[in-house]
Amino acid sequence: MGLSLRDLQEALYFILGKVLSVSAVNQITLKVQQQLEAIRQKPLSRTSEMLIVDGVWVDIQYTMDDKFKEDLSGHIRQCRQVEERVVMAVMAVWEDGSEELILYEIAKVESKATWTKVFQNLIARGLDPNKLKLVSSDGGLGLPAAMKKCFPIAQQQRCITHKVRGIERHLSYADLP
């Protein structure tokens, strides 16, 4: 997200200890994208009783279709611009305690409409909304309304990490006597 092939080439050098060609990095990137897309579309053969959901805000570089520039080497390249997006992730927690990322979507906003779309995607892939009992989340915008619409019997529980972060905002050593 937001890295050029040359940026990935440099990052992989520090991991692998050798330089991969831009073509090799591109092939690896395309293969990983195919695998991630397969995960996003895989039918769900069973339903977890608990989901962990969260929206994580990130900056993503997008190409601008109509704008090009010439780089220092004289190559014509598409211009890119950074846009803030939310990655809406859903993780299933299974009875044995194992976890599995079952869906992620990139959206412009975290809202009732976007969460509803995410949940309807899961239902279309085979998640049984009547077997889901608990959704742990940060209390993001639109989530309770989307849950009520898509998961009628599921309860929402605020993630303990987000609860602690919320409390920390109101505590400081300066407030102590």
Side-chain angles (χ1 to χ4, degrees), residues 16-167:
L16 302 174
K18 55 184 167 182
V19 177
L20 297 177
S21 69
V22 173
S23 175
V25 172
N26 189 46
Q27 289 175 20
I28 292 167
T29 302
L30 292 174
K31 187 71 171 172
V32 169
Q33 285 176 338
Q34 289 172 349
Q35 291 172 349
L36 288 173
E37 193 58 31
I39 289 170
R40 289 180 67 231
Q41 295 179 6
K42 181 178 86 173
L44 300 172
S45 59
R46 58 189 180 142
T47 297
S48 168
E49 292 184 351
M50 178 182 176
L51 297 178
I52 299 173
V53 302
D54 199 6
V56 180
W57 287 91
V58 296
D59 289 334
I60 301 176
Q61 286 189 24
Y62 289 97
T63 56
M64 301 168 69
D65 293 334
D66 56 344
K67 292 191 177 181
F68 294 87
K69 67 179 180 181
E70 186 175 338
D71 66 14
L72 296 174
S73 302
H75 297 101
I76 302 298
R77 306 232 184 254
Q78 267 188 311
C79 293
R80 295 182 292 174
Q81 76 179 41
V82 174
E83 296 181 19
E84 192 175 43
R85 293 287 190 267
V86 61
V87 179
M88 302 174 83
V90 180
M91 187 178 318
V93 180
W94 303 107
E95 295 80 19
D96 65 1
S98 63
E99 301 164 345
E100 178 185 3
L101 180 67
I102 56 174
L103 182 67
Y104 70 91
E105 293 284 342
I106 297 174
K108 290 185 178 184
V109 295
E110 191 174 357
S111 65
K112 176 185 175 186
T114 53
W115 277 117
T116 299
K117 179 182 171 191
V118 166
F119 295 154
Q120 287 173 339
N121 181 323
L122 290 170
I123 293 167
R125 287 176 42 213
L127 184 125
D128 183 346
N130 296 310
K131 289 185 179 176
L132 182 64
K133 294 181 180 176
L134 183 67
V135 176
S136 179
S137 71
D138 65 355
L141 298 176
L143 186 63
M147 279 183 57
K148 188 174 184 177
K149 180 177 181 176
C150 298
F151 304 135
I153 65 168
Q155 298 292 314
Q156 182 182 12
Q157 176 180 311
R158 186 102 187 263
C159 168
I160 190 69
T161 301
H162 289 93
K163 281 184 180 181
V164 170
R165 286 182 190 160
I167 292 170

Side-chain angles (χ1 to χ4, degrees), residues 160-177:
I160 190 69
T161 301
H162 289 93
K163 281 184 180 181
V164 170
R165 286 182 190 160
I167 292 170
E168 284 178 338
R169 282 191 284 262
H170 302 286
L171 300 175
S172 74
Y173 286 107
D175 296 334
L176 294 175

